[in-house]
Amino acid sequence: MRKHFSLVSQYLIGVIFGFGLLISGMANPQKILNFLDLAGSWDPSLIFVVGGAVLVGMAGFYLLAKRGKVFFGGILHIPTRRDVSKPLVIGSLIFGAGWGVAGFCPGPAIVSIGLGQIKALVFVIAMVIGMWVCERFFSAHKKSP
């Protein structure tokens, strides 16, 4: 019963997250590209979306760290590495370049597939291929000290 409740709650959280992405404009690639275009038609409205996401994330990590376990049982895995490594910097640059070129990041891209955007489907396929290549050829970087 607990597992079913967990799955249902995860589904509902995903639906709420998807609606949030739609309402905020994060599923609109042009809005993202305008946000990233500081020298042109800059649209600063997504700063509030980013700020809200950071605040919710901080609150969630704070609550989970106090509890020491996840809400539906199991072990809490919070990253312990705090160093800035070469793979982290390279991965961040690749992520940022992909976001800037396509106007999508993973969550909004999946929402946009549901809206029938072919560009989002191409993005997600390329993202999955990139994840596979990284897993296959760069798996040594997954290890934590």
Side-chain angles (χ1 to χ4, degrees), residues 2 7 36-37 47 50 52 73 86 126 129:
R2 184 177 220 175
L7 291 174
L36 297 173
D37 186 7
I47 289 173
V50 172
K86 185 177 176 181
I129 291 169

mmCIF file of all heavy atoms in Angstrom, residues 2 7 36-37 47 50 52 73 86 126 129:
data_model
loop_
_atom_site.group_PDB
_atom_site.id
_atom_site.type_symbol
_atom_site.label_atom_id
_atom_site.label_comp_id
_atom_site.label_asym_id
_atom_site.label_seq_id
_atom_site.Cartn_x
_atom_site.Cartn_y
_atom_site.Cartn_z
ATOM 1 N N ARG A 2 1.924 1.223 0.816
ATOM 2 C CA ARG A 2 2.811 2.378 0.919
ATOM 3 C C ARG A 2 3.483 2.668 -0.427
ATOM 4 O O ARG A 2 3.652 3.818 -0.811
ATOM 5 C CB ARG A 2 3.841 2.116 2.000
ATOM 6 C CG ARG A 2 4.746 3.272 2.253
ATOM 7 C CD ARG A 2 5.684 2.968 3.387
ATOM 8 N NE ARG A 2 5.794 4.188 4.188
ATOM 9 C CZ ARG A 2 6.441 4.280 5.290
ATOM 10 N NH1 ARG A 2 7.013 3.233 5.801
ATOM 11 N NH2 ARG A 2 6.526 5.415 5.932
ATOM 12 N N LEU A 7 3.998 6.000 -5.380
ATOM 13 C CA LEU A 7 3.919 6.166 -6.834
ATOM 14 C C LEU A 7 2.872 7.206 -7.225
ATOM 15 O O LEU A 7 3.110 8.036 -8.102
ATOM 16 C CB LEU A 7 3.615 4.827 -7.509
ATOM 17 C CG LEU A 7 4.729 3.792 -7.462
ATOM 18 C CD1 LEU A 7 4.252 2.463 -8.034
ATOM 19 C CD2 LEU A 7 5.950 4.291 -8.204
ATOM 20 N N LEU A 36 17.956 34.453 -21.764
ATOM 21 C CA LEU A 36 19.404 34.293 -21.889
ATOM 22 C C LEU A 36 20.052 35.370 -22.765
ATOM 23 O O LEU A 36 21.274 35.488 -22.786
ATOM 24 C CB LEU A 36 19.726 32.900 -22.445
ATOM 25 C CG LEU A 36 19.296 31.725 -21.569
ATOM 26 C CD1 LEU A 36 19.508 30.412 -22.291
ATOM 27 C CD2 LEU A 36 20.016 31.737 -20.237
ATOM 28 N N ASP A 37 19.247 36.143 -23.489
ATOM 29 C CA ASP A 37 19.757 37.158 -24.403
ATOM 30 C C ASP A 37 19.918 38.499 -23.685
ATOM 31 O O ASP A 37 19.094 39.406 -23.819
ATOM 32 C CB ASP A 37 18.804 37.290 -25.600
ATOM 33 C CG ASP A 37 19.339 38.228 -26.673
ATOM 34 O OD1 ASP A 37 20.500 38.671 -26.558
ATOM 35 O OD2 ASP A 37 18.583 38.510 -27.617
ATOM 36 N N ILE A 47 13.705 35.221 -13.740
ATOM 37 C CA ILE A 47 14.488 35.314 -12.501
ATOM 38 C C ILE A 47 13.627 34.883 -11.312
ATOM 39 O O ILE A 47 14.109 34.219 -10.395
ATOM 40 C CB ILE A 47 15.031 36.745 -12.300
ATOM 41 C CG1 ILE A 47 16.122 37.038 -13.316
ATOM 42 C CG2 ILE A 47 15.535 36.960 -10.886
ATOM 43 C CD1 ILE A 47 16.620 38.466 -13.317
ATOM 44 N N VAL A 50 13.398 31.065 -11.298
ATOM 45 C CA VAL A 50 14.652 30.493 -10.796
ATOM 46 C C VAL A 50 14.758 30.710 -9.288
ATOM 47 O O VAL A 50 15.094 29.792 -8.529
ATOM 48 C CB VAL A 50 15.864 31.106 -11.534
ATOM 49 C CG1 VAL A 50 17.171 30.668 -10.900
ATOM 50 C CG2 VAL A 50 15.836 30.731 -13.005
ATOM 51 N N GLY A 52 12.337 31.176 -7.113
ATOM 52 C CA GLY A 52 11.361 30.303 -6.447
ATOM 53 C C GLY A 52 11.832 28.869 -6.381
ATOM 54 O O GLY A 52 11.682 28.203 -5.350
ATOM 55 N N GLY A 73 10.153 6.441 3.352
ATOM 56 C CA GLY A 73 11.090 5.398 3.761
ATOM 57 C C GLY A 73 12.321 5.406 2.880
ATOM 58 O O GLY A 73 12.417 6.134 1.901
ATOM 59 N N LYS A 86 36.701 19.213 -12.828
ATOM 60 C CA LYS A 86 36.727 19.420 -14.279
ATOM 61 C C LYS A 86 35.464 18.837 -14.943
ATOM 62 O O LYS A 86 34.838 19.523 -15.761
ATOM 63 C CB LYS A 86 38.000 18.806 -14.864
ATOM 64 C CG LYS A 86 38.187 19.053 -16.333
ATOM 65 C CD LYS A 86 39.515 18.468 -16.813
ATOM 66 C CE LYS A 86 39.673 18.628 -18.307
ATOM 67 N NZ LYS A 86 40.945 18.046 -18.757
ATOM 68 N N ALA A 126 18.385 13.613 -28.369
ATOM 69 C CA ALA A 126 19.807 13.977 -28.314
ATOM 70 C C ALA A 126 20.325 13.931 -26.879
ATOM 71 O O ALA A 126 21.454 13.476 -26.632
ATOM 72 C CB ALA A 126 20.006 15.367 -28.914
ATOM 73 N N ILE A 129 20.857 10.287 -25.883
ATOM 74 C CA ILE A 129 22.080 9.789 -26.530
ATOM 75 C C ILE A 129 23.306 10.334 -25.811
ATOM 76 O O ILE A 129 24.265 9.595 -25.532
ATOM 77 C CB ILE A 129 22.092 10.153 -28.029
ATOM 78 C CG1 ILE A 129 21.021 9.358 -28.766
ATOM 79 C CG2 ILE A 129 23.475 9.898 -28.637
ATOM 80 C CD1 ILE A 129 20.767 9.812 -30.188
#
